[in-house]
Amino acid sequence: MENCVEKVILNEMDLSDIVKKLGNQISKDYKDKNLLMVSILKGSIIFMSDLMREINIPCKIDFMSVSSYNGGVKSSGVVKISKDLDISIEGYDLLIVEDILDSGITLDYIINTLKARNPRSIKICTLLDKPKRRTANIKADYVGKEIPDEFIIGYGLDYDEKYRNLPFIGIANPALYS
Ligand code: IMP
Ligand code: MG
């Protein structure tokens, strides 16, 4: 896997610092709330599992799986729910945990779907944000780091379902997909 990354942009220490900061802030903000963390599979699994261990207030977790990418590097614009939540979200303060906010099409669809189920509140926590590529009218409440418009892999993020297991985040070598 050595040549899959052109440049590392966040190493393991950077990621740990970012996640600790987010966890502290979320723990403060949700102290008197009814926190339900919703991880969007599969990209956010590593971020979710690290982030939830930095949260020092009671919370529940659930998972939802959607896809808008069909193995390529650009969003197809079509979102499909392939695994829905197990918990009924009425009365919960939802925190959606995402790996990366890109066009925003995926989260826009998820938020609209979940709003209709009457949660008490919905906020978004994304590890990475590519604001330049946004087409949907959507903004994250918690952002780990803004990054430039490059295709990245590692720490949960894939290219064609591979490279999620890299412990760092790097810009994918264009040779992977060209
Ligand atoms: P959006 O609907 O365009 O915001 O796409 C969001 C989803 O696309 C994310 O949850 C990721 O799974 C995937 N994605 C967007 N950019 C990248 C990237 O640079 N590398 C890997 N996956 C990405
Ligand atoms: Mg994904």
Side-chain angles (χ1 to χ4, degrees), residues 109-168:
Y109 177 85
I110 291 173
I111 299 259
N112 284 327
T113 305
L114 296 181
K115 262 189 188 155
R117 302 182 192 173
N118 296 319
R120 191 149 75 183
S121 65
I122 303 188
K123 285 193 174 177
I124 298 170
C125 174
T126 186
L127 175 62
L128 303 166
D129 190 7
K130 282 186 196 168
K132 277 227 175 81
R133 288 185 32 98
R134 198 82 81 254
T135 56
N137 180 21
I138 197 156
K139 220 178 145 243
D141 302 278
Y142 301 93
V143 175
K145 193 168 169 62
E146 262 191 31
I147 57 162
D149 180 11
E150 305 267 15
F151 195 80
I152 54 152
I153 51 174
Y155 197 72
L157 288 127
D158 69 306
Y159 169 67
D160 202 14
E161 296 296 330
K162 295 190 289 274
Y163 312 108
R164 297 190 195 276
N165 54 322
L166 294 171
F168 52 82

Side-chain angles (χ1 to χ4, degrees), residues 44-110:
S44 73
I45 50 157
I46 300 183
F47 177 42
M48 174 74 162
S49 64
D50 282 348
L51 180 64
M52 62 189 274
R53 284 177 287 179
E54 297 296 338
I55 304 246
N56 56 25
I57 54 166
C59 74
K60 294 187 184 177
I61 63 166
D62 204 350
F63 298 88
M64 189 169 188
S65 185
V66 297
S67 55
S68 69
Y69 278 55
N70 300 318
V73 293
K74 288 231 164 68
S75 176
S76 62
V78 179
V79 183
K80 197 182 90 208
I81 295 186
S82 41
K83 187 225 167 284
D84 207 336
L85 298 175
D86 296 326
I87 297 179
S88 155
I89 61 176
E90 199 166 344
Y92 282 100
D93 293 293
L94 250 61
L95 184 65
I96 309 221
V97 178
E98 247 299 31
D99 51 355
I100 185 166
L101 188 49
D102 188 28
S103 71
I105 293 168
T106 313
L107 272 187
D108 192 39
Y109 177 85
I110 291 173

